[in-house]
Amino acid sequence: MDENLYQLQTEKRNAASERLDQMSALEIVTLMNEEDQKVALAVKRVLPQIAQSVDMIVRSLSGGGRLLYFGAGTSGRLGILDAAECPPTFGTEPSVVQGIIAGGVKAMTEAIEGAEDSRELGCQDVQEAGVSQKDVVVGIAASGRTPYVWGALQEARTRQAGTISLSCNSDPDIGKSADIAINLAVGPEVVTGSTRLKAGSATKMVLNMLTTASMVKLGKVYQNLMVNVQATNQKLRERAKHIVMQATGVSYAVADRLLAEAAGDVKVAIVMQKTGLAAKAAQERLARVGHKVREAIELI
């Protein structure tokens, strides 16, 4: 038996919820809400480490590298969810941000017994992903000691990739195998050991920050608008028009025309309107400045 497991913050009992099974529904959700308010404060305490991680990710992606999440159970699912949202939101290729879960895709919907306990499997998955020194690997483990994640981080370091650990305990084991350790002190869960609760919420918040801030720095956002959105359905085509309208102040009809001339590319449409350039010239200018709208507009 591993006695040390029960010394982890994520495994301790929460004194406020010891009567949980005797509470009314309103009392339960009120307590959960009170506990959830601690999550944002836990994230706030590690903002410097999150910002350092963003800088590392931006350097990697700017140089043709990738961002890869490795996790087991809830942690792995959250990584896959964040990765899956990047292509539609920021127009990235699916290979640029990837989520890899212990036990493979099947583990997204059902438990794969023993997968998280294998350090060798984590190492193997890093090898199969072809991780190199151009990439950044984020190991996600609420406990901070999941063998699969530890193995993934160690193999990533061997391959000279940038490494980040994301845990919900202080001084986690996996932090020893990472260049940057993000340790979220969210405290004991309302249901003892159920890290899909506060730990899961805190993890989701950090992943949101890692990808969103990185994509902003990479020019996937102009002002606060999703200018790299991929208009793959009617709702997103309408969103693209409204983004052009908000960025330039033109009417719906003009935005529609600009997008038609720009072959649906929101960035090109905005630069066309702001500079008076034709579509091809706007495309060329964007290419010269790394496809960043503000730089393209301000370029003399």
Side-chain angles (χ1 to χ4, degrees):
M1 183 176 179
D2 187 351
E3 295 289 346
N4 293 328
L5 175 65
Y6 300 101
Q7 300 306 311
L8 299 175
Q9 295 167 1
T10 50
E11 296 296 327
K12 290 183 176 179
R13 294 188 70 182
N14 189 324
S17 63
E18 288 182 356
R19 293 182 53 258
L20 193 66
D21 63 334
Q22 297 175 291
M23 292 181 178
S24 68
L26 179 58
E27 288 172 328
I28 292 171
V29 298
T30 298
L31 175 59
M32 291 181 70
N33 178 253
E34 290 171 352
E35 288 293 314
D36 284 343
Q37 291 177 47
K38 300 175 183 178
V39 172
L41 294 175
V43 173
K44 183 178 181 179
R45 288 191 287 268
V46 296
L47 289 177
Q49 289 83 5
I50 297 172
Q52 289 173 0
S53 300
V54 168
D55 288 338
M56 176 187 286
I57 293 166
V58 170
R59 286 193 299 271
S60 171
L61 299 188
S62 296
R66 301 169 298 165
L67 170 62
L68 300 103
Y69 297 130
F70 288 82
T74 298
S75 295
R77 295 182 190 105
L78 289 171
I80 289 174
L81 175 62
D82 192 68
E85 294 292 348
C86 287
T89 306
F90 301 114
T92 58
E93 291 296 324
S95 61
V96 172
V97 183
Q98 298 181 39
I100 297 168
I101 186 170
V105 176
K106 189 177 181 181
M108 279 294 292
T109 55
E110 59 184 274
I112 304 298
E113 299 299 336
E116 71 175 64
D117 296 329
S118 173
R119 191 179 299 191
E120 293 73 22
L121 181 58
C123 174
Q124 178 183 318
D125 281 354
V126 167
Q127 293 170 353
E128 290 183 358
V131 169
S132 76
Q133 61 186 4
K134 296 199 306 184
D135 300 324
V136 171
V137 166
V138 180
I140 312 169
S143 68
R145 46 175 279 160
T146 305
Y148 172 84
V149 176
W150 202 347
L153 284 169
Q154 288 179 321
E155 178 63 18
R157 290 197 78 175
T158 298
R159 292 166 170 256
Q160 298 183 303
T163 50
I164 301 164
S165 67
L166 176 52
S167 164
C168 294
N169 278 296
S170 56
D171 193 29
D173 291 342
I174 63 171
K176 301 177 179 68
S177 297
D179 298 314
I180 302 171
I182 301 173
N183 304 329
L184 298 154
V186 296
E189 301 286 6
V190 168
V191 175
T192 305
S194 182
T195 52
R196 74 184 185 90
L197 301 177
K198 289 189 296 183
S201 297
T203 297
K204 181 66 168 68
M205 290 176 72
V206 172
L207 298 181
N208 284 346
M209 290 179 175
L210 292 180
T211 45
T212 301
S214 295
M215 296 302 168
V216 170
K217 301 301 288 182
L218 288 165
K220 308 292 187 184
V221 173
Y222 170 59
Q223 297 174 353
N224 61 351
L225 300 170
M226 289 190 291
V227 291
N228 239 47
V229 65
Q230 301 302 293
T232 54
N233 59 38
Q234 183 59 32
K235 180 190 80 172
L236 293 177
R237 283 189 286 273
E238 288 302 310
R239 177 174 291 170
K241 293 172 192 175
H242 281 276
I243 289 171
V244 174
M245 292 167 65
Q246 291 169 313
T248 65
V250 300
S251 68
Y252 181 92
V254 172
D256 190 30
R257 175 180 60 78
L258 286 167
L259 280 167
E261 293 176 9
D265 190 314
V266 173
K267 287 184 172 182
V268 173
I270 293 171
V271 173
M272 287 170 63
Q273 196 282 330
K274 290 283 192 179
T275 64
L277 294 171
K280 185 177 180 182
Q283 272 182 327
E284 291 171 351
R285 183 178 287 201
L286 278 162
R288 286 168 59 192
V289 294
H291 300 279
K292 295 181 179 180
V293 172
R294 186 174 300 279
E295 285 82 343
I297 293 169
E298 296 174 354
L299 184 65
I300 299 174

